[in-house]
Coordinates of all heavy atoms in Angstrom, one line a residue:
M186 N -11.1 6.6 -9.4 CA -10.4 6.9 -8.1 C -11.5 6.8 -7.1 O -11.3 6.4 -6.0 CB -9.8 8.3 -8.2 CG -8.9 8.6 -6.9 SD -7.8 7.5 -6.3 CE -6.8 7.1 -7.8
T187 N -12.6 7.5 -7.4 CA -13.7 7.5 -6.4 C -14.2 6.1 -5.9 O -14.2 6.0 -4.6 CB -14.9 8.3 -7.0 OG1 -14.6 9.8 -7.4 CG2 -16.1 8.4 -5.9
E188 N -14.4 5.3 -6.8 CA -14.7 4.0 -6.3 C -13.6 3.2 -5.5 O -14.0 2.6 -4.6 CB -15.0 3.0 -7.8 CG -15.5 1.7 -7.3 CD -16.9 1.7 -6.5 OE1 -17.7 2.7 -6.8 OE2 -17.1 0.8 -5.7
L189 N -12.4 3.4 -5.9 CA -11.3 2.8 -5.1 C -11.3 3.4 -3.7 O -11.1 2.5 -2.7 CB -10.0 3.1 -5.8 CG -8.7 2.6 -5.0 CD1 -8.7 1.0 -4.8 CD2 -7.5 3.0 -5.7
L190 N -11.4 4.6 -3.5 CA -11.5 5.3 -2.2 C -12.7 4.8 -1.5 O -12.6 4.5 -0.3 CB -11.4 6.8 -2.3 CG -10.1 7.4 -2.9 CD1 -10.3 8.9 -3.1 CD2 -8.9 7.0 -2.1
R191 N -13.7 4.7 -2.1 CA -15.0 4.2 -1.5 C -14.9 2.8 -1.0 O -15.3 2.3 0.1 CB -16.2 4.3 -2.4 CG -17.5 3.9 -1.7 CD -18.6 4.1 -2.7 NE -18.8 5.4 -3.2 CZ -18.9 5.8 -4.6 NH1 -19.0 4.7 -5.4 NH2 -18.8 7.0 -4.9
T192 N -14.3 1.9 -1.9 CA -14.1 0.5 -1.5 C -13.1 0.3 -0.4 O -13.4 -0.4 0.6 CB -13.5 -0.2 -2.7 OG1 -14.3 -0.2 -3.7 CG2 -13.2 -1.7 -2.4
L193 N -12.1 1.0 -0.3 CA -11.1 1.1 0.8 C -11.6 1.8 2.0 O -11.1 1.7 3.2 CB -9.8 1.8 0.4 CG -9.0 0.9 -0.8 CD1 -8.0 1.8 -1.2 CD2 -8.7 -0.5 -0.3
G194 N -12.7 2.7 2.0 CA -13.1 3.4 3.1 C -12.3 4.5 3.5 O -12.2 4.7 4.7
V195 N -11.6 5.1 2.6 CA -10.7 6.3 3.0 C -11.0 7.6 2.1 O -11.6 7.4 1.1 CB -9.2 5.8 2.7 CG1 -8.9 4.6 3.6 CG2 -9.0 5.6 1.3
A196 N -10.5 8.6 2.6 CA -10.8 9.9 1.9 C -9.6 10.1 0.8 O -9.8 10.9 -0.2 CB -10.9 11.1 2.8
R197 N -8.4 9.6 1.1 CA -7.2 9.8 0.3 C -6.2 8.7 0.6 O -6.2 7.9 1.4 CB -6.6 11.2 0.5 CG -6.0 11.4 1.9 CD -5.5 12.8 2.0 NE -5.6 13.2 3.4 CZ -5.9 14.4 3.7 NH1 -6.2 15.3 2.9 NH2 -5.9 14.7 5.0
I198 N -5.3 8.5 -0.5 CA -4.3 7.5 -0.4 C -3.0 8.3 -0.5 O -2.7 9.3 -1.3 CB -4.4 6.6 -1.6 CG1 -5.7 5.8 -1.5 CG2 -3.2 5.7 -1.6 CD1 -5.9 4.9 -2.7
V199 N -1.9 7.8 0.3 CA -0.6 8.3 0.2 C 0.3 7.4 -0.5 O 0.4 6.3 0.0 CB 0.0 8.8 1.6 CG1 1.4 9.3 1.5 CG2 -1.0 9.8 2.2
V200 N 1.0 7.6 -1.4 CA 2.0 6.8 -2.2 C 3.3 7.2 -2.3 O 3.6 8.3 -2.2 CB 1.3 6.5 -3.7 CG1 -0.1 5.9 -3.7 CG2 1.3 7.8 -4.4
G201 N 4.2 6.3 -2.4 CA 5.7 6.6 -2.6 C 6.3 5.7 -3.8 O 5.5 5.4 -4.8
H202 N 7.5 5.6 -3.8 CA 8.3 4.6 -4.8 C 8.8 5.5 -5.9 O 9.9 5.4 -6.2 CB 7.5 3.4 -5.1 CG 8.3 2.7 -6.1 ND1 9.6 2.0 -5.7 CD2 8.2 2.4 -7.5 CE1 9.9 1.3 -6.7 NE2 9.1 1.5 -7.7
T203 N 8.0 6.2 -6.7 CA 8.4 7.0 -7.9 C 8.9 8.4 -7.4 O 8.0 9.1 -6.9 CB 7.2 7.1 -8.8 OG1 6.8 5.8 -9.3 CG2 7.8 7.8 -10.1
S204 N 10.2 8.6 -7.6 CA 10.7 9.9 -7.2 C 10.0 11.1 -8.1 O 10.0 11.1 -9.2 CB 12.2 9.9 -7.3 OG 12.7 9.0 -6.5
M205 N 9.6 12.1 -7.1 CA 9.1 13.4 -7.9 C 9.9 14.5 -7.3 O 10.7 14.5 -6.5 CB 7.6 13.3 -7.4 CG 6.7 12.2 -7.6 SD 6.6 11.7 -9.3 CE 5.4 12.9 -9.8
A206 N 9.5 15.7 -8.0 CA 10.3 16.9 -7.7 C 9.8 17.4 -6.3 O 10.6 18.1 -5.6 CB 10.1 17.9 -8.7
H207 N 8.7 17.1 -5.8 CA 8.2 17.6 -4.6 C 7.1 16.8 -4.1 O 6.6 15.9 -4.9 CB 7.7 19.0 -4.7 CG 6.7 19.3 -5.7 ND1 5.4 18.9 -5.5 CD2 6.8 19.7 -7.1 CE1 4.7 19.2 -6.6 NE2 5.6 19.7 -7.5
V208 N 6.7 16.9 -2.8 CA 5.4 16.2 -2.5 C 4.2 16.8 -3.2 O 4.1 18.0 -3.2 CB 5.2 16.4 -0.9 CG1 3.9 15.9 -0.4 CG2 6.3 15.8 -0.2
G209 N 3.5 16.0 -3.9 CA 2.5 16.6 -4.7 C 1.0 16.0 -4.5 O 1.0 14.8 -4.0
S210 N 0.1 16.6 -4.9 CA -1.3 16.3 -4.7 C -1.8 16.0 -6.2 O -1.7 16.7 -7.2 CB -2.0 17.5 -4.2 OG -3.4 17.1 -4.1
Y211 N -2.6 14.9 -6.3 CA -3.2 14.4 -7.6 C -4.6 14.1 -7.3 O -5.2 13.7 -6.2 CB -2.5 13.1 -7.9 CG -1.1 13.3 -8.3 CD1 0.0 13.4 -7.3 CD2 -0.6 13.6 -9.6 CE1 1.4 13.5 -7.6 CE2 0.8 13.8 -10.0 CZ 1.7 13.7 -9.0 OH 3.0 14.0 -9.2
F212 N -5.3 14.0 -8.3 CA -6.8 13.7 -8.5 C -7.5 14.5 -7.3 O -8.2 14.0 -6.4 CB -6.9 12.1 -8.1 CG -6.4 11.3 -9.2 CD1 -5.2 10.8 -8.9 CD2 -7.1 11.1 -10.4 CE1 -4.5 10.0 -10.0 CE2 -6.5 10.3 -11.3 CZ -5.2 9.7 -11.2
D213 N -7.3 15.8 -7.4 CA -8.1 16.8 -6.5 C -7.8 16.5 -5.0 O -8.6 16.3 -4.2 CB -9.6 16.6 -6.8 CG -9.9 17.1 -8.0 OD1 -9.4 18.2 -8.6 OD2 -10.9 16.6 -8.7
G214 N -6.5 16.1 -4.7 CA -6.1 15.9 -3.4 C -6.4 14.5 -2.8 O -6.1 14.2 -1.7
R215 N -6.9 13.6 -3.6 CA -7.3 12.3 -3.2 C -6.1 11.3 -3.2 O -6.0 10.3 -2.5 CB -8.5 11.7 -4.0 CG -9.7 12.6 -3.8 CD -10.9 12.1 -4.6 NE -10.5 12.5 -6.0 CZ -11.2 12.1 -7.1 NH1 -12.2 11.3 -6.8 NH2 -10.9 12.3 -8.3
V216 N -5.1 11.7 -4.0 CA -3.7 11.0 -3.9 C -2.7 11.9 -3.8 O -2.5 12.9 -4.4 CB -3.6 10.2 -5.2 CG1 -2.2 9.6 -5.3 CG2 -4.7 9.3 -5.6
I217 N -1.8 11.5 -2.8 CA -0.7 12.4 -2.3 C 0.5 11.6 -2.5 O 0.7 10.5 -2.0 CB -0.8 13.0 -0.9 CG1 -2.0 13.7 -0.8 CG2 0.6 13.7 -0.5 CD1 -2.2 14.1 0.7
A218 N 1.6 12.1 -3.5 CA 2.8 11.4 -3.6 C 3.7 12.0 -2.8 O 4.0 13.2 -2.8 CB 3.1 11.5 -5.2
I219 N 4.5 11.1 -2.0 CA 5.4 11.7 -1.1 C 6.9 11.4 -1.3 O 7.7 11.9 -0.5 CB 5.1 11.2 0.4 CG1 5.2 9.7 0.5 CG2 3.7 11.6 0.8 CD1 5.2 9.1 1.8
D220 N 7.3 10.7 -2.3 CA 8.6 10.4 -2.6 C 9.3 11.6 -3.3 O 9.1 11.8 -4.5 CB 8.8 9.0 -3.5 CG 10.2 8.6 -3.6 OD1 11.2 9.5 -3.5 OD2 10.4 7.4 -3.9
S221 N 10.0 12.4 -2.6 CA 10.6 13.6 -3.0 C 12.0 13.5 -3.4 O 12.7 14.5 -3.2 CB 10.1 14.8 -2.3 OG 10.8 14.6 -0.9
S222 N 12.5 12.5 -3.8 CA 13.9 12.2 -4.1 C 14.9 12.2 -2.9 O 16.1 12.4 -3.1 CB 14.4 13.1 -5.3 OG 13.6 12.9 -6.3
I223 N 14.3 12.2 -1.6 CA 15.3 12.2 -0.5 C 16.3 11.2 -0.5 O 17.4 11.2 0.0 CB 14.4 12.3 0.7 CG1 15.3 13.0 1.9 CG2 13.8 11.0 1.1 CD1 14.6 13.3 3.1
K224 N 15.9 10.1 -1.1 CA 16.8 8.8 -1.0 C 18.0 9.0 -1.9 O 19.0 8.4 -1.7 CB 16.0 7.6 -1.6 CG 15.6 7.6 -3.0 CD 14.8 6.3 -3.3 CE 14.2 6.5 -4.8 NZ 12.8 6.9 -4.7
R225 N 18.0 9.9 -2.8 CA 19.1 10.3 -3.7 C 20.0 11.5 -3.1 O 21.0 11.9 -3.6 CB 18.7 10.7 -5.0 CG 18.0 9.5 -5.9 CD 17.7 10.1 -7.2 NE 16.8 9.1 -7.9 CZ 16.0 9.3 -8.8 NH1 15.9 10.5 -9.3 NH2 15.3 8.4 -9.4
G226 N 19.4 12.0 -2.1 CA 20.1 13.2 -1.4 C 20.0 14.4 -2.2 O 20.7 15.5 -2.0
E227 N 19.1 14.5 -3.1 CA 18.9 15.7 -4.0 C 18.0 16.7 -3.6 O 18.2 17.9 -3.6 CB 18.3 15.3 -5.4 CG 19.2 14.2 -6.2 CD 18.5 13.6 -7.3 OE1 17.3 14.0 -7.7 OE2 19.1 12.7 -7.9
S228 N 17.0 16.1 -2.8 CA 16.0 17.1 -2.3 C 15.3 16.4 -1.1 O 15.7 15.3 -0.8 CB 14.8 17.6 -3.2 OG 14.3 16.4 -3.8
G229 N 14.4 16.9 -0.5 CA 13.6 16.3 0.5 C 12.5 17.0 1.0 O 12.6 18.2 1.4
E230 N 11.4 16.4 1.2 CA 10.2 17.1 1.8 C 9.5 16.1 2.6 O 9.6 14.8 2.5 CB 9.2 17.7 0.7 CG 9.8 18.8 -0.1 CD 8.9 19.3 -1.1 OE1 7.7 18.8 -1.2 OE2 9.3 20.3 -1.7
L231 N 8.6 16.6 3.5 CA 7.9 15.8 4.4 C 6.4 16.0 4.2 O 6.1 17.1 3.7 CB 8.2 16.0 5.9 CG 9.6 15.6 6.3 CD1 9.8 16.2 7.7 CD2 10.0 14.3 6.2
L232 N 5.6 15.1 4.5 CA 4.2 15.4 4.4 C 3.6 15.5 5.9 O 3.9 14.5 6.7 CB 3.4 14.2 3.7 CG 1.8 14.2 3.8 CD1 1.4 15.5 3.0 CD2 1.3 12.8 3.4
F233 N 2.9 16.5 6.2 CA 2.3 16.7 7.4 C 0.9 16.7 7.2 O 0.2 17.4 6.2 CB 2.5 18.2 8.0 CG 3.9 18.2 8.6 CD1 4.9 18.8 7.8 CD2 4.3 17.8 9.9 CE1 6.3 18.9 8.3 CE2 5.6 17.9 10.3 CZ 6.5 18.5 9.7
L234 N 0.1 15.8 8.0 CA -1.4 15.7 8.0 C -1.9 16.2 9.5 O -1.6 15.4 10.4 CB -1.8 14.3 7.6 CG -1.6 13.8 6.3 CD1 -2.0 12.5 6.1 CD2 -2.3 14.8 5.3
E235 N -2.4 17.3 9.6 CA -2.9 17.8 10.8 C -4.3 18.4 10.7 O -4.5 19.2 10.0 CB -2.0 18.8 11.3 CG -0.5 18.4 11.7 CD 0.4 19.4 12.0 OE1 0.6 20.4 11.3 OE2 1.1 19.3 13.2
N236 N -5.1 17.9 11.6 CA -6.5 18.4 11.6 C -7.2 18.2 10.2 O -7.9 19.2 9.9 CB -6.6 19.7 12.1 CG -6.1 20.0 13.6 OD1 -6.3 19.0 14.4 ND2 -5.4 20.9 13.8
G237 N -6.8 17.3 9.4 CA -7.5 17.1 8.2 C -6.8 17.8 7.1 O -7.3 17.7 6.0
Q238 N -5.8 18.6 7.4 CA -5.1 19.4 6.4 C -3.7 18.9 6.0 O -3.1 18.5 7.0 CB -5.0 20.9 6.9 CG -6.3 21.6 7.2 CD -7.1 21.8 6.0 OE1 -6.6 22.2 4.8 NE2 -8.4 21.4 6.0
A239 N -3.4 18.9 4.8 CA -2.0 18.4 4.3 C -1.1 19.6 3.9 O -1.7 20.6 3.5 CB -2.2 17.4 3.1
S240 N 0.2 19.5 4.3 CA 1.2 20.5 4.0 C 2.5 19.7 3.8 O 2.6 18.7 4.3 CB 1.2 21.6 5.1 OG 1.7 21.1 6.4
R241 N 3.4 20.4 3.1 CA 4.8 19.9 3.0 C 5.7 20.6 4.1 O 5.6 21.8 4.2 CB 5.2 20.4 1.5 CG 4.3 19.8 0.5 CD 4.9 20.3 -0.8 NE 4.8 21.8 -1.0 CZ 5.9 22.6 -1.5 NH1 6.9 22.1 -2.0 NH2 5.6 23.8 -1.6
G242 N 6.7 19.7 4.5 CA 7.7 20.3 5.4 C 9.0 20.3 4.5 O 9.3 19.4 3.8
L243 N 9.6 21.6 4.3 CA 10.6 21.7 3.6 C 12.0 21.5 4.3 O 12.0 21.6 5.6 CB 10.5 23.2 3.0 CG 9.2 23.4 2.2 CD1 9.3 24.9 1.6 CD2 8.9 22.5 1.2
L244 N 13.1 21.5 3.5 CA 14.4 21.3 4.2 C 14.8 22.3 5.2 O 15.6 22.1 6.2 CB 15.5 21.2 3.1 CG 15.5 19.9 2.3 CD1 16.6 19.9 1.3 CD2 15.9 18.7 3.2
D245 N 14.4 23.6 5.0 CA 14.7 24.7 5.9 C 13.9 24.8 7.1 O 14.0 25.7 8.0 CB 14.8 26.1 5.1 CG 13.3 26.4 4.7 OD1 12.4 25.7 4.9 OD2 13.3 27.6 3.9
G246 N 12.9 23.8 7.2 CA 12.1 23.7 8.5 C 10.7 24.3 8.3 O 10.0 24.3 9.2
T247 N 10.6 25.0 7.3 CA 9.3 25.8 6.9 C 8.3 24.7 6.5 O 8.5 23.7 6.0 CB 9.3 26.9 6.1 OG1 9.9 26.6 4.7 CG2 10.4 28.0 6.6
R248 N 7.1 25.2 6.5 CA 5.8 24.4 5.8 C 5.3 25.1 4.8 O 5.3 26.4 4.7 CB 4.8 24.2 6.9 CG 5.3 23.2 7.9 CD 4.2 22.6 8.8 NE 4.6 21.9 9.9 CZ 3.9 21.2 10.8 NH1 2.6 21.3 10.6 NH2 4.5 20.6 11.8
A249 N 4.8 24.5 3.7 CA 4.2 25.0 2.5 C 3.1 24.2 2.1 O 2.9 23.1 2.4 CB 5.4 25.0 1.5
A250 N 2.2 24.8 1.3 CA 1.0 24.2 0.7 C 1.4 23.0 -0.2 O 2.5 23.0 -0.7 CB 0.1 25.1 0.1
L251 N 0.7 22.0 -0.3 CA 0.9 20.9 -1.3 C 0.7 21.6 -2.7 O -0.1 22.4 -2.8 CB -0.2 19.8 -1.2 CG -0.1 18.9 0.1 CD1 -1.2 17.8 -0.1 CD2 1.3 18.3 0.1
L252 N 1.7 21.2 -3.6 CA 1.5 21.6 -4.9 C 0.9 20.6 -5.7 O 1.0 19.4 -5.5 CB 3.0 21.8 -5.5 CG 3.9 22.9 -4.7 CD1 5.2 22.8 -5.3 CD2 3.2 24.1 -5.0
P253 N 0.2 21.0 -6.8 CA -0.4 20.0 -7.6 C 0.7 19.2 -8.4 O 1.7 19.8 -8.9 CB -1.2 20.7 -8.7 CG -0.7 22.2 -8.6 CD -0.2 22.4 -7.3
G254 N 0.5 18.0 -8.4 CA 1.5 17.1 -9.2 C 1.3 17.1 -10.6 O 0.2 17.3 -11.1
S255 N 2.2 16.6 -11.4 CA 2.2 16.4 -12.8 C 3.2 15.3 -13.3 O 4.3 15.4 -12.8 CB 2.7 17.8 -13.5 OG 3.0 17.6 -14.8
S256 N 2.8 14.6 -14.2 CA 3.6 13.5 -14.5 C 4.9 14.1 -15.3 O 5.9 13.4 -15.4 CB 2.9 12.6 -15.6 OG 2.5 13.3 -16.7
E257 N 4.8 15.3 -15.8 CA 6.0 15.9 -16.3 C 7.1 16.2 -15.3 O 8.2 16.5 -15.7 CB 5.6 17.2 -17.0 CG 4.6 17.0 -18.1 CD 4.1 18.4 -18.7 OE1 4.6 19.4 -18.2 OE2 3.2 18.2 -19.5
E258 N 6.8 16.2 -14.0 CA 7.7 16.5 -13.0 C 8.6 15.4 -12.5 O 9.4 15.4 -11.7 CB 7.0 17.1 -11.7 CG 6.4 18.4 -12.0 CD 5.5 18.8 -10.8 OE1 4.8 18.1 -10.3 OE2 5.6 20.0 -10.5
E259 N 8.3 14.2 -13.0 CA 9.0 13.0 -12.6 C 10.5 13.0 -12.9 O 10.7 13.5 -13.9 CB 8.4 11.8 -13.2 CG 6.9 11.4 -12.8 CD 6.4 10.2 -13.4 OE1 7.2 9.5 -14.1 OE2 5.2 9.9 -13.3
D260 N 11.2 12.6 -11.9 CA 12.7 12.6 -12.2 C 12.9 11.3 -13.0 O 12.3 10.3 -12.9 CB 13.4 12.3 -10.8 CG 13.3 13.6 -9.9 OD1 13.0 14.7 -10.5 OD2 13.5 13.5 -8.7
D261 N 13.9 11.3 -13.9 CA 14.4 10.3 -14.6 C 15.2 9.4 -13.9 O 15.9 9.6 -13.0 CB 15.1 10.7 -16.0 CG 14.2 11.5 -16.8 OD1 13.0 11.0 -16.9 OD2 14.6 12.4 -17.4

């Protein structure tokens, strides 16, 4: 992961496509998965990046810290 980020000249990568239970952080925050099943109408979260800090926007309008991601949380 370190070499890929260095090659791209970025600090982190944001990815989507695979539905997850929540917006999650992987590889020590270097990869953020943002597809939180909103397309199915099951849930939904947003990613906020402000002043170098990442947080999740929840359906009720509040913000929360990113949660660590896990392959076990993937929706089928």
Side-chain angles (χ1 to χ4, degrees):
M186 183 56 55
T187 301
E188 184 61 31
L189 174 62
L190 295 174
R191 185 178 306 131
T192 298
L193 295 173
V195 298
R197 63 181 150 223
I198 297 173
V199 177
V200 298
H202 182 65
T203 302
S204 293
M205 308 299 283
H207 57 78
V208 172
S210 174
Y211 297 82
F212 300 98
D213 296 321
R215 295 176 291 173
V216 175
I217 300 173
I219 62 168
D220 188 336
S221 62
S222 300
I223 197 168
K224 65 182 171 261
R225 296 181 187 159
E227 297 170 5
S228 62
E230 295 183 355
L231 301 171
L232 172 65
F233 286 98
L234 293 173
E235 297 176 306
N236 301 317
Q238 299 295 315
S240 63
R241 300 176 298 137
L243 308 181
L244 286 175
D245 65 4
T247 61
R248 291 191 188 187
L251 289 182
L252 296 174
S255 167
S256 61
E257 296 172 6
E258 295 174 315
E259 293 181 12
D260 294 338
D261 293 322

